[in-house]
Amino acid sequence: MLYTPPPIDPKAPPVRINLLSDTQTKPTAAMREAMARAEVGDEQVGDDPTVNALCERVAELLGKEAAVYMPSGTMCNVTATLVHCRPGDEILAHETAHIIAREGGAHAAIGGFQVTQLKGPDGQFTPETFRKALHPRTRYQPPQTVVSVEQTANIGGGTIWKKAALDEIVAIAKKHGLVTHMDGARLLNATVASGISPRDMTAGWDSAWIDFSKGLGAPIGGVLAGSRAFIDAVWQWKQRLGGSMRQAGICAAACIYALDHHVDRLADDHANARALARGLSQIAGIEVQEPETNLVFFKPDGTGVAGDKMVAALRQRGVTLAMMDGRIRACTHLDVDAAQVEETIGYVREIVRGA
């Protein structure tokens, strides 16, 4: 089968150190307790008090008028572009962005949008690259409607868009009549690492969202924020796409718990990522990108062990990572501690010595 996730190999050893993704986090005991106590209603008709409290809180956090709870970050991106654009419109984004590389072509399949790929190192394009990609409004070319950035830039190595660059992109977009959208899959990783508040980081961006199922450790969901008129229009697409829920307060309670308890601790994940990168860089032949947040990208090819072979060898030792964009990606999160990071480094050394 092409699309169905493959079954788990029953012969593979149990996963003891899960560096595959921060989406692998499990709800903590305290988070589960908060979920069990959640007051709930029917989210689809607007009477789930926990969902409503979450949306109000995220809107305030990001400095927007309103917000809506979604089952996934993908739905946040897709519904945002469906509201901002019309069929045939053009979206500008980095060539490695989620909306191009990780969402199944939804923006083209559902909305009929063209996504222009902007180049740049570390998953980011410069304001000047954006400016040069703009063209005059003419019937010969698609209307350029949206510019999108991904904070942090996943394939770029979890890099943080600098505030000055974000502000300049907003200024260029407004001058040329484009809407601005921020994919906030790891937005709070960026704000914790930079010391810039979420409100300031998203200032000037017409729509922005937070993913709760990554580093924040909740089991499901993202919250998309923007103007009241924008969120009202998003609700229509949320309904059309099957994203309207019922007693979603059970899951929203996990998100509220995460905002209360799992934001500042993202700094621990960043510290563990730096420790992992430091240990790997001390192994001759391994090329490591210095992490800015919780993603560590490295290539072991110089050791004589190809990336896919390294991933397979680590899996046999109970450590799981991913090949991504030709490199190995390790992702630290609340279910990975400092001791496990050191254990992983030891396994890599062992595999290299045996090559």
Side-chain angles (χ1 to χ4, degrees):
M1 291 185 288
L2 292 176
Y3 306 118
T4 304
I8 296 173
D9 183 358
K11 298 179 181 178
V15 174
R16 296 182 300 100
I17 304 174
N18 195 329
L19 292 163
L20 184 69
S21 176
D22 40 13
T23 61
Q24 302 291 295
T25 55
K26 305 289 179 62
T28 64
M31 180 180 282
R32 289 174 184 266
E33 184 179 344
M35 295 170 72
R37 295 196 315 265
E39 186 179 355
V40 299
D42 188 338
E43 188 265 357
Q44 190 171 127
V45 300
D47 73 352
D48 188 302
T50 307
V51 170
N52 294 341
L54 172 64
C55 292
E56 290 170 7
R57 185 157 174 185
V58 172
E60 174 64 24
L61 184 69
L62 300 184
K64 308 303 180 188
E65 292 179 349
V68 59
Y69 187 40
M70 294 290 200
S72 70
T74 295
M75 191 172 283
C76 289
N77 276 337
V78 172
T79 55
T81 59
L82 286 167
V83 171
H84 290 319
C85 303
R86 295 293 176 268
D89 283 1
E90 180 180 343
I91 302 167
L92 295 94
H94 191 270
E95 60 185 348
T96 63
H98 284 138
I99 65 172
I100 295 172
R102 291 292 183 271
E103 295 178 351
H107 305 270
I110 301 172
F113 311 138
Q114 174 175 307
V115 185
T116 294
Q117 303 182 20
L118 303 182
K119 295 184 179 299
D122 300 329
Q124 302 180 28
F125 54 85
T126 65
E128 185 58 26
T129 296
F130 171 44
R131 184 183 285 107
K132 288 181 177 178
L134 296 172
H135 57 68
R137 298 264 173 179
T138 165
R139 70 177 186 271
Y140 299 109
Q141 293 176 292
Q144 294 178 312
T145 306
V146 174
V147 59
S148 177
V149 300
E150 184 181 309
Q151 184 74 301
T152 64
N154 176 23
I155 303 300
T159 57
I160 302 169
W161 286 78
K162 299 299 184 285
K163 179 73 165 94
L166 293 175
D167 289 347
E168 190 172 352
I169 290 168
V170 166
I172 295 168
K174 299 309 178 186
K175 179 179 178 180
H176 292 273
L178 276 74
V179 172
T180 54
H181 173 69
M182 182 178 290
D183 172 337
R186 294 182 176 90
L187 174 59
L188 296 190
N189 286 92
T191 62
V192 167
S194 67
I196 298 171
S197 72
R199 176 183 286 259
D200 288 343
M201 189 70 81
T202 60
W205 292 83
D206 295 302
S207 53
W209 58 273
I210 295 174
D211 194 325
F212 285 92
S213 66
K214 290 188 169 70
L216 293 177
I220 189 171
V223 176
L224 174 64
S227 70
R228 293 192 189 283
F230 167 74
I231 295 300
D232 185 60
V234 165
W235 262 100
Q236 183 178 38
W237 279 109
K238 175 179 159 84
Q239 186 72 34
R240 285 171 171 170
L241 298 176
S244 293
M245 298 175 279
R246 299 301 182 184
Q247 287 70 45
I250 292 174
C251 293
C255 301
I256 292 174
Y257 182 90
L259 288 175
D260 289 337
H261 301 282
H262 290 173
V263 175
D264 291 343
R265 65 145 311 279
L266 291 172
D268 298 336
D269 300 338
H270 303 163
N272 284 334
R274 291 192 296 271
L276 178 60
R278 184 166 55 249
L280 292 171
S281 67
Q282 292 170 358
I283 302 172
I286 294 185
E287 177 185 335
V288 186
Q289 179 178 347
E290 183 66 24
E292 295 183 17
T293 50
N294 68 321
L295 303 182
V296 179
F297 281 77
F298 66 100
K299 294 183 72 173
D301 303 53
T303 68
V305 182
D308 57 344
K309 301 297 184 185
M310 176 66 75
V311 170
L314 285 168
R315 181 65 187 87
Q316 289 305 307
R317 290 162 172 81
V319 181
T320 181
L321 308 91
M323 286 296 299
M324 195 169 288
D325 195 39
R327 300 180 291 171
I328 300 175
R329 190 191 79 167
C331 185
T332 57
H333 50 78
L334 62 84
D335 288 345
V336 176
D337 60 27
Q340 291 175 319
V341 166
E342 292 304 316
E343 187 177 354
T344 300
I345 295 167
Y347 286 141
V348 173
R349 287 199 186 99
E350 177 184 294
I351 293 165
V352 169
R353 281 198 302 266

